[in-house]
Each structure stands twice: as C-alpha cells, then as structure tokens.
Amino acid sequence: MTERAAAPLHPVARELAASQGGLKSYPPVERWEDWEEYDPVAWPQKVKRRYSLIPTICFNCEAGCGLLAYVDRETLQIQKFEGNPAHPGSRGRNCAKGPATLNQVTDPERIRYPLRRVGPRGGGRWERVTWDDVLDDIGERIRKALVEGRQREVMYHLGRPGHELVYLQRVFHAWGIDGHNSHTNVCSASARAGYAFWHGMDRPSPDHANARFILLLSSHLETGHYFNPHAQRIMEAKARGAKIAVFDTRLSNTASMADWWLAPWPGSESAVLLAMAHILVREKLYDRDFVRRWVNWDEYLREERPDLPVAFAAFERAIDELYARFTPEYAEAESGVAAAAIVEIAREIGRAGSALATHIWRNTAAGNLGGWQVARALELIVVLMGAVGTPGGTAPSAWNKAVPAPPMMPPPGKIWSELLMPREYPLAFFEMSFLLPHFLREGRGKLAMYFTRVYNPVWTNPDGMSWIEALTDETKVERHACLTPIWSETAWFADYVLPMGHASERHDLMSQETHAARWIGFRQPVLRVALEKTGKRFDLTWQAHEAAGLGQVWEEDEFWIELSWRIDADGSLGIRKYFESPYRPGEKLRIEEQYRWIFENSVPGLPEAAAKEKLTPLAYMRKYGAFLIEDGVYRTHEQAPPPRDLDGATVDPVTNVVVKGGQPVGVEIDGQRHIGFPTPSRKLEFFSKTLKSWKWPEQAVPNYIRSHVHWSNLDRAKGEMVLLPTFRLPTLIHTRSGNAKWLYEISHTNPLWIHPEDATRLGVATGDLLKIATRIGHFVDKVWVTESVRPGVVACSHHLGRWRLHEDAGGERWSTALVDLSRPDAGKWRMRQLHGPRPFPSADPDSSRIWWNESGVHQNLTFPVQPDPVSGQHCWHQKVTVMRPGPDDRYGDVFVDTDKSFEVYREWLALARPAPGPDNLRRPLWLPRAFKPDVSAYRLDGG
C-alpha cells in the first residue's frame, strides 16, 4: 500500500534517475537568463526547452503578486507564467489567476489595434486607426478645454491602477485639472472611511503570520483583498496555533476553515463588535496603558462629557456607560449570533493581547447603510487591545507601503470638480463616481473628454442602464476613450477603444500592504525586454509588441507622456516640461529614463543593493522584479519626528500636539515626542471632532447604525428578503479576467444561494428559476439550495453575468452571453439572453472545445444607486421580493426602469448633509483625498 502511494503518477517516471541534491520549488535566480527544462506537452519524450525567465507583476487582482514569464529563447514567445520567489509579498506563490495571464496574452479575440467608432455610439461599427490619429484628436480636444478654462470637463475614470495614484497625479496636476475619478465608492469607501476617522489612513494591514487571534469580516482566505499574500500568512499563523473567527452571512470557504463562523444578519455586525468591545472594557481585558497614551480620550471628555473630570479613570467609566446597552443579549437579538459565542470570542481576543490581526474591506462595510461604522467598531477592538502596529497586530496601511516619487511633481491645480466630489458628500472616500449619470442628467455639467481605464461601469456599477443612457448622449459626453486590455460592455459605447497591456505588457510599480514590511514590485513588458536582450531597440512599447506579433498593444505610462506632448507641443501651457527627460534637458521623457530616475532616487536601499551585484538600480529591478525596502515594520507611530520638524516647534498645552508653522508634526506623550498618526489630534481618534463639526455629531464615536436592509424592514410573508450581491469568486476578477479561458472553464455561473427553509416556502429546488425584484426592476436566475446562507437572505456573486450585443464582436466569447437589449419605452430597458458561450472557430483550438453554455446573470443592472451619506459608498445590499417566475420569464432576463432609478437616487441624496463645514470648506483639509487639489480649492468660494 505504501509503495503504491509513493509510486510516480506516470509509469515512465519510474525510469528516471533520482534527483541530485533534492527537488527545488523554483529555478535559482542565477539561472533565470538561460533556464532549461523538459517540455511537459512532449512527455514522456524528453524534449528540452530553453527559457529566459523575466519577472513582472500579476494584473488580475489588486494584490500585485509576482510572476515569472517563461520566454522561449528560440521563438521569443511566452510559454507560461509561474510565481516569482524573489517577490516579498507573494513569495513565489500564485492563485489560479496568475498563470491564466497566458490566456489573456494569447487570446484570439483580444483588441490588437486602436479602434474608432463609425456611426452612432453603441452601433457596433469600428475602423482601425493609428495611434497618431488618436493622440492628435484627443490632445487637441483637451488642449482646447484647458485653454478655454473648461478644466472640469476632462475626466479620467479608473478601475484598477498600477502605481497610478502617484503617476497619474503627476499627469493631472501638470494638466491643471481635478479629473481623477475612481471605482472606490463601489468597492471599499465605507471601510476606508471607518479606518481614516480612526487614524488618518484608509486601509488595515494585518500581520497575519504572527497573530494569535485573527478576526475576519471577509472571505479572506479565498477571495479577500490581497488574498493570496494574506491567505498564505493566515495559514502559517493557523499552523502555529492561532485562532480564527469569521463574520460572514454566507458560509464562505474561509468561514468553513475557521474556528468560529458567525453568520450575522446583514448590517448587524457593529452591534456584535461593540458587544465584544464592551466585554473587553467591563472585564478589563484591554491594554489600559496603550489606550491612555494613544487614544484621544481627553478630547472626548471635554467635548461630550463635561460633567466628568479630564482623567483616564473618568474615561473608563464613560466608555463603560457609553456601550452598556451593547450586551451580548442585545447583539444576539439584532444579529442572530448567539450571546455565548460573542462572549467566548471576546475573551479569546482578550487572551490574544496585542497579537490581534483583523480585516474588513468590502463585505458588510460595502453592503450596508452605515457600513463605515462596522470598520470603526472593528478598529475599536484593535485599539482596546493595543494591537496597532504590533507583531501579530493590525497596522495602518501606509506604514507597509512604498510610494516612490517620480521626477518633477507638479503643484496641484486650483480646481475642484463637483462632478467628482459634490458638496452633498464632503466626507466621501472618494469620488462619487457611480452617481455620474445622475449628475449629468441633472445638468450639473458635461464632459468634453472622458477616459475609462480598465473600468467597466456599464457592467460593474449599479444601475448600468443609466450609464448606457449617459454614454450614448453626446451632449453629455462629447468624446469617450476606453483604455482597456479587453472588450467590455462599456467599450461598446466608446468613441475610441484603445488596447492597453495585460500584466506582462506594461511598465508600472506596485506596493501593497501584504504584511509588516515595505516592498516595491516592478511590472514590465516582458516581450519588449526579451527582444531588447537580443539587441533590438524600440522607442515605444507598442512597437515592440507589434514586432512580437501582438499588434499595437500599448501601455498607459507612455500613452500619457505622448498625449501630454500633443496637448502642449510648444510648451506654452507649462505642461510639457513635466514630461521631459531628467537626463536629456528639453527632450521627451523615455520610459526607461522614468524608471531609472525613480530607482536611483526614490527607493531607499535599492541603489546600494544593486551596486553589490554590480548592477544599476534599473537593471536590478529588471532582473528580480521586486525589492524589499524594510522588513519587520512595527509601531511606526512611536518614532520621533525628524529633527527638522522639531526645530522651532511648539507643544499645544491642551492637546499636546507638536506644531510647526501652523501644521501638526507630532504629539507629546509622557514627555516624549512622537510622529503619531495623521489625524488632527495626532492620536487614534475614538472621538472624531471632524464628524461632529461636519454635521454628524451622533456618529462621532464608534456606533451601530441599523442597515437599510435590517430585518425589521422586511415582510417575509410577502416574499421580501435581503440580497447579498457582493461576494467574489476566487477565480475571477471583475471585467479583466473575461478572456482567461482556464478561469471561465472553472467558474461560469452565479446561482442564487437560498436556504432550504426559504426554498420550501417558495416551492423550488436546485436548478429551478426565481425572479428577484428590486426597486427598479428584476432579474431571473437559477437557484442553489444550501444551508450555507441564513434564512431570509439570498446571495449571488457579482463576478458573472457578462454579455455582448453582437455575435462576433464586443465581448469575449469564452465568458459572455449574446443578448438582445431593447428599449420598448423611454427609460424602460429589457435584456434577454439569446445564447451563452458555445464553441467558435479561432486560432486557438480550445475555442472549439467550449463545453459550458452559461455565463451567469447580470444582477447589478437592477440595483438603484444607494450612496451612504457619510462615506459615499454605494450600499450594495438590496431589499428584494423573491417570487416564482411567470410563463414569459427566462433565465438571465433583466428589466430596468431608469426613471425609477433616478427617483431612488433622489431619495438617498436627501439623506446627505452637505458642505460647507467649518471655515466654509468643501471637505476637511486633513482628510485623505486622492489627487488633492490646492488648498484654495477647498473653500466653497474658491476652486
């Protein structure tokens, strides 16, 4: 039995000699330039292949994991992608999406050349044009808008950035616009807001590997934010004895592997967390000294409890009284989570001490009205345990990221765009991007030039039919350029479809808060690098791709340089100078010069590490693809301010904030000066004076806000339920995995999860159809009956439901259904699937082997916009009516009324508490904002 188990899987392998020196996980880096291995397709024949291994960064989620491209030295084609062991975050490991990059590169249906529409938008007729045609037209339009003072009419709408928060900031500041629009408010705005109100930084960075207790409000092991780098470290902690608790209304794969699975009613998580926090306080399980030193408890007492002395003992009494109503029994009544489990987990957290790693990103924060208070409540537990920036604890994200400065950063523009940051949402994180069609419908402005970059709002956002209405109205959007590596529902309604590179076809930088360290990763165009190793030279990456047989696929970094030169060809606008070479004055910046400068000047330790190997910093990064700047990053807040900040500084006698030149630079605690946190108090803000002074006094401390889908708002007898549409699948990532055939062979349906109790009530079994009605329409989907979801709740993944309008164009046939989209009346839209994926002829023989015939259902079309009035987050969870379908209903049917969606938008808009705030400001000056404009633009009488 043992011998059979140990035998090789293939009988021919028994004839192989035993390996010398044991097996290795990865090729050694010294052999990357000329690596030899047997061709697995030729097995059992031993056909040798020689490869050049070139590192890059995966582009199929936000984690930024390292890849090694195996480039055949004879054909100069990419054979496969594997993990990069030199990458500090992913450490050579990848999920399924990393190797599937090969599918995206070789996809026979990919966009290879710039396309311009012919005829009406959405008509589906295109002509091939040159990159010069594109640059001349767009450059002229933008220049005209800038010269005429219409800076607010230029907008760039971003889906997935590389290092763009700095790179594009440089571009748009040079142009003098406030034009950066992101997808954050349909993704993570509420979690960001909750964290930022605590410590001024908008993401958590858990040190999972060293944790004793891990508390996840996510499906983190298989699909959460940075899930591969995090998952491997969570597994390491688990192997060392760490305990894991997961809050998730669904039984995710992560929840199934946890020590505790808590399935609260959607939106009730804050009640459970605050009950746990109160147990920690009442049983004195928290770190009293950390809270005394690092929490702004004194400000809370002065502002909210003037009846008490400003003493820590008084605060302990006050916080006990504040959360006294959050008993385990109250939390159980709100959430359905057993009171005994709440107590048990709270005490386990108390035993873990400062080695408490926590995370929330989307999950309940993105789903519910007031979801930002869930992040506030979760961080309260971290703060109480003194687990901020500790080994095994949870740090603010910025401490574990590296953001290298580019050459010549322009000053910010003195412009504020209310199409991005309207006064109704002064605290939003960040741009209110998903409301753009409604803002345009209200006449708040128009767009002369609109870019979508790796973003698909028609499909990804709620209320996609309103997006179609906006994008097809040329009085609202005059010119739309879609920068994309793949066909999408939004690209179909563009004026230009511009092919941009996948992971192995572009330059940019990545750094993510994967663990307690700071690292930088280098994404590079693999085939350009491979060709240049043979002695060939190219001015632009699209030229290298054309030589490699990929067509004229380009990259954004070079696109923006070239476009900026077209906008300001003579330099008279003051733009061109920011895109000139730092090494050749007056000449156009080349892409290798940009990264040469960054690696020589902006990455601490890199020049020295490169010199040890007799390499330039750029050559080092081309060789390894990543660099570890600093490991073991802990307690950054305790560092002393630099001497230049302390010279001439004063200490406020009440707040102990260290001030220089009117700006806080640190905080004095027990006689010592520390840099602290980037908040007004320079401490962790249990009490937010910002929330109080910006018209939300009742939410100034961590609190529980009942969700818009609270159980008390439902009538189960009428079929009313809650729909959870926010969960990911581990094999897909929004739009850009649509041309990865391996991934869609694995995942191609998004059935409706429903509990047996509800299935029995409705008389359905797995595979039957149900009709799900929202405020603005309905969709029809198949059912999966499972005990993995709570009664009263249905769930459907948002990663499926791709569609196209033409049989042979406009969508990847691996992943899309052909649909008929009709508009029987103004504002009324109907979609019916004609057929799902099916075999098609192409240069890839696998396209004739497609065996699946479903691509899922596009549920997001039926969701009205539901902006949280504080964070600006679209609250994804839906109150729905679930019913049996009618005789004319079919799988995949969608109906939407955009007039009703506009009505719902106005209802939620009425919840907002608009600016101005103190000093007639549009937004607090200290609060993070991507691409901050000049301070003068923050005043309502300026910008």
Side-chain angles (χ1 to χ4, degrees), residues 151-459:
Q151 289 89 344
R152 294 176 183 84
E153 293 186 13
V154 180
M155 182 182 293
Y156 169 82
H157 204 157
L158 170 68
R160 172 48 45 203
H163 62 142
E164 293 193 358
L165 195 61
V166 169
Y167 185 85
L168 261 296
Q169 180 174 328
R170 180 168 172 267
V171 173
F172 298 148
H173 282 182
W175 294 1
I177 68 172
D178 182 24
H180 174 269
N181 205 358
S182 71
H183 76 296
T184 302
N185 278 71
V186 297
C187 178
S188 55
S190 269
R192 289 174 184 264
Y195 284 111
F197 290 134
W198 263 110
H199 50 54
M201 293 165 274
D202 64 358
R203 299 187 189 192
S205 180
D207 184 25
H208 287 307
N210 298 302
R212 288 191 289 271
F213 196 94
I214 297 173
L215 179 57
L216 301 175
L217 274 70
S218 69
S219 52
H220 223 70
L221 278 172
E222 82 262 24
T223 62
H225 208 53
Y226 315 146
F227 84 89
N228 168 41
H230 278 184
Q232 56 186 267
R233 291 172 171 88
I234 291 171
M235 289 187 283
E236 290 172 8
K238 181 69 173 170
R240 296 188 186 113
K243 301 291 187 180
I244 301 175
V246 173
F247 282 54
D248 199 328
T249 305
R250 297 179 310 115
L251 180 62
S252 63
N253 291 339
T254 302
S256 73
M257 302 298 291
D259 297 285
W260 292 271
W261 170 42
L262 307 183
W265 186 265
S268 67
E269 291 83 355
S270 290
V272 177
L273 293 167
L274 293 176
M276 291 178 177
H278 188 242
I279 292 167
L280 297 175
V281 170
R282 178 150 291 185
E283 297 186 7
K284 300 197 182 303
L285 301 175
Y286 67 103
D287 187 333
R288 297 182 69 249
D289 191 56
F290 179 86
V291 174
R292 178 189 65 80
R293 297 177 71 240
W294 283 107
V295 173
N296 70 334
W297 56 266
D298 50 342
E299 186 176 18
Y300 169 73
L301 291 175
R302 286 192 297 269
E303 290 280 341
E304 301 296 302
R305 293 299 301 271
D307 56 310
L308 296 177
V310 183
F312 187 67
F315 173 72
E316 290 183 292
R317 169 189 161 189
I319 194 173
D320 184 33
E321 294 172 352
L322 180 65
Y323 294 117
R325 73 183 181 97
F326 290 98
T327 64
E329 292 73 24
Y330 170 81
E332 179 177 4
E334 285 294 295
S335 69
V337 174
I342 295 171
V343 174
E344 182 182 15
I345 292 172
R347 290 172 178 165
E348 285 285 347
I349 290 171
R351 282 188 281 273
S354 63
L356 169 66
T358 69
H359 203 281
I360 181 172
W361 196 235
R362 298 189 69 208
N363 191 273
T364 181
N368 297 286
L369 174 69
W372 59 277
Q373 279 286 24
V374 181
R376 285 273 279 163
L378 179 62
E379 186 68 5
L380 173 61
I381 293 176
V382 174
V383 171
L384 287 172
M385 298 312 302
V388 179
T390 54
T394 308
S397 59
W399 294 351
N400 294 336
K401 292 188 72 165
V403 185
M408 292 189 68
M409 178 64 79
K414 298 180 180 181
I415 295 292
W416 189 285
S417 173
E418 290 210 3
L419 285 178
L420 302 176
M421 300 289 288
R423 65 190 64 192
E424 289 94 339
Y425 299 96
L427 306 178
F429 277 72
F430 295 107
E431 306 87 9
M432 298 300 297
S433 61
F434 64 99
L435 300 185
L436 181 62
H438 297 293
F439 291 162
L440 295 175
R441 178 170 175 168
E442 288 179 320
R444 297 193 185 200
K446 68 179 180 67
L447 298 176
M449 188 66 229
Y450 178 58
F451 295 96
T452 49
R453 190 279 199 185
V454 194
Y455 193 47
N456 187 8
V458 170
W459 182 77

Side-chain angles (χ1 to χ4, degrees), residues 713-722 761 792 879-882:
N713 296 330
L714 304 181
D715 188 340
R716 295 280 296 281
K718 294 181 179 179
E720 293 179 350
M721 301 179 73
V722 176
R761 176 172 54 83
K879 176 182 174 180
V880 296
T881 301
V882 180

Side-chain angles (χ1 to χ4, degrees), residues 708-775:
H708 64 296
V709 293
H710 189 266
W711 47 263
S712 62
N713 296 330
L714 304 181
D715 188 340
R716 295 280 296 281
K718 294 181 179 179
E720 293 179 350
M721 301 179 73
V722 176
L723 170 63
L724 271 61
T726 53
F727 67 95
R728 294 177 171 181
L729 299 178
T731 48
L732 303 179
I733 182 70
H734 307 310
T735 297
R736 61 191 181 279
S737 57
N739 63 344
K741 61 185 179 183
W742 295 340
L743 301 181
Y744 272 85
E745 183 173 21
I746 297 170
S747 304
H748 44 261
T749 61
N750 58 342
L752 191 75
W753 297 32
I754 190 169
H755 191 273
E757 176 184 309
D758 294 310
T760 299
R761 176 172 54 83
L762 290 163
V764 293
T766 294
D768 291 343
L769 296 180
L770 280 176
K771 185 174 182 177
I772 300 90
T774 68
R775 287 281 305 277

Side-chain angles (χ1 to χ4, degrees), residues 69-72 75-81 102 105-106 504-505 526-527:
Y70 284 61
V71 180
D72 190 297
T75 65
L76 292 182
Q77 298 298 304
I78 300 171
Q79 179 68 20
K80 63 179 177 179
F81 289 93
L102 183 65
V105 173
T106 61
S504 59
E505 300 166 347
V526 165
L527 293 179

